[in-house]
């Protein structure tokens, strides 16, 4: 049945649909989601931005763990009749779909956070179309995207209100505790990967996700104590925040080109941990000195 669905898409594929679905699938990728999330967190509403990011990070962490356990190969890897498209985004194993998890959690939480009709419709479409794009492109089985949607939307439905209610000392303790816990998992996984004792396909994305999660949460705990920035500022200030912050992120990710290939796993730990800390603490702390936070 799953193979039949994939073959149907393959038979009805054409260059225009390829372009459309490759564009749609980008809305479930790290870069696009990060750019939108940063605008919300730094410039629109820090508290809602934290809740949205928390839903995303918790759901992705769950997805990465399940991937590492199940280790299901992707359709184009087992069926010669399936020609995978945009396969450079198909890292890790197949079940559940990381793009579907990310899109369902991020856009689902965004619709919860900003319940406006047009935004709800837009987010709902992305929750449906991003998973569909993964099947059309031949990089996931239908059950992969269903599994990802269940994890993503389930996380939003079960925990968004809890995240949005956290504040003050409770927020500091919660983020510190979760941050240290995910740091332990991220460091341990990265060290095993670097030592060659872990499957790189199963643990590569897991290391990135858990260290990003750790950096983000540890940064939130530190920022709430030492910075406490507000999104209530001029539009020009918000623009400077955003552009400066994104520039810093590009520099952090450029470390991949600088660090020796022999320490690729340790490089993942450094880049993603630093990325999370930059977003929530280092850039707001530095930006306060520049009078833009």
């Amino acid at each position: 049945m799953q193979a039949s669905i994939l073959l149907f898409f393959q038979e009805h594929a054409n260059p225009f649909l390829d372009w459309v679905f490759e564009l749609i699938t980008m809305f479930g990728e790290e870069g696009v989601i990060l750019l939108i999330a940063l605008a919300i967190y730094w410039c629109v509403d820090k508290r809602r931005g934290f809740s949205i990011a928390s839903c995303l990070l918790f759901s992705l962490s769950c997805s990465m763990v399940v991937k590492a356990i199940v280790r299901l190969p992707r359709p184009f890897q087992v069926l010669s009749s399936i020609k995978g498209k945009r396969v450079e985004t198909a890292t890790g194993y197949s079940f559940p779909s990381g793009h579907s998890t990310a899109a369902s959690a991020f856009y689902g939480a965004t619709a919860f956070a900003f319940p406006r009709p047009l935004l709800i419709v837009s987010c709902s479409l992305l929750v449906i179309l991003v998973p569909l794009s993964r099947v059309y492109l031949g990089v996931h089985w239908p059950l992969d995207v269903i599994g990802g949607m269940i994890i993503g939307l389930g996380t939003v439905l079960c925990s968004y209100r809890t995240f949005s209610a956290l504040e003050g000392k409770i927020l500091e303790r919660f983020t510190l505790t979760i941050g240290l816990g995910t740091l332990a998992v991220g460091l341990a996984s990265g060290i095993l990967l670097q030592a060659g004792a872990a499957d790189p396909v199963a643990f590569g994305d897991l290391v990135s996700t858990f260290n990003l999660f750790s950096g983000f949460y540890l940064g939130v705990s530190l920022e709430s104590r030492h910075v406490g920035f507000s999104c209530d500022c001029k539009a020009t200030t918000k623009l400077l925040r955003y552009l400066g912050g994104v520039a810093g992120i590009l520099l952090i990710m450029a470390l991949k080109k600088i660090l020796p290939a022999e320490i690729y796993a340790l490089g993942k730990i450094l880049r993603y941990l630093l990325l999370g800390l930059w977003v929530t603490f280092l850039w707001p702390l530095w930006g306060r000195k520049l009078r833009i936070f």
Side-chain angles (χ1 to χ4, degrees), residues 36-285:
I36 300 172
L38 294 178
I40 296 172
Y41 186 75
W42 286 334
C43 306
V44 179
D45 191 310
K46 180 174 72 171
R47 191 165 176 177
R48 294 184 195 185
F50 166 77
S51 300
I52 293 169
S54 293
C55 289
L56 175 65
L57 290 168
F58 269 93
S59 62
L60 279 178
S61 297
C62 178
S63 179
M64 293 305 111
V65 170
V66 175
K67 275 180 180 281
I69 294 172
V70 177
R71 303 190 184 189
L72 181 72
R74 294 177 182 270
F76 66 87
Q77 295 173 325
V78 296
L79 297 175
S80 59
S81 55
I82 302 298
K83 307 301 180 185
K85 304 179 184 74
R86 202 170 170 77
V87 294
E88 67 274 11
T89 67
T91 58
Y93 286 103
S94 195
F95 181 87
S97 163
H99 281 66
S100 302
T101 303
S104 299
F106 182 74
Y107 299 113
T110 300
F112 258 73
F114 303 98
R116 298 166 188 167
L118 182 59
L119 188 60
I120 290 173
V121 171
S122 300
C123 288
S124 298
L125 285 173
L126 287 171
V127 167
I128 295 169
L129 291 176
V130 170
L132 181 63
S133 74
R134 303 307 285 169
V135 178
Y136 174 88
L137 295 173
V139 293
H140 276 293
W141 305 97
L143 284 180
D144 298 344
V145 303
I146 292 172
M149 293 174 73
I150 289 172
I151 293 172
L153 292 175
T155 302
V156 175
L157 293 172
C158 294
S159 59
Y160 179 83
R161 296 190 186 281
T162 299
F163 295 137
S164 62
L166 296 171
E167 59 182 342
K169 293 296 182 183
I170 296 176
L171 174 65
E172 288 181 22
R173 289 195 293 268
F174 177 80
T175 51
L176 179 61
T177 301
I178 300 297
L180 291 174
T182 51
L183 178 62
V185 176
L187 288 176
S189 301
I191 291 169
L192 288 173
L193 187 59
Q194 184 63 50
D199 178 357
V201 179
F203 279 76
D205 289 340
L206 188 149
V207 171
S208 302
T209 301
F210 273 89
N211 281 287
L212 175 63
F213 197 165
S214 174
F216 184 89
Y217 259 45
L218 291 175
V220 168
S221 182
L222 290 168
E223 188 277 333
S224 63
R225 291 184 217 174
H226 302 293
V227 182
F229 77 87
S230 169
C231 294
D232 184 17
C233 59
K234 295 179 180 179
T236 52
T237 301
K238 292 180 179 181
L239 181 61
L240 289 172
R241 280 183 184 182
Y242 188 74
L243 294 177
V246 170
I249 287 171
L250 292 175
L251 290 174
I252 292 169
M253 299 314 291
L255 290 174
K256 183 177 182 180
K257 304 292 185 181
I258 300 172
L259 296 173
E262 293 76 14
I263 59 167
Y264 76 103
L266 298 180
K268 270 182 176 286
I269 294 174
L270 175 62
R271 292 198 318 276
Y272 283 92
L273 184 60
L274 188 56
L275 176 59
L277 285 168
W278 172 260
V279 168
T280 52
F281 177 60
L282 296 176
W283 175 230
L285 180 65

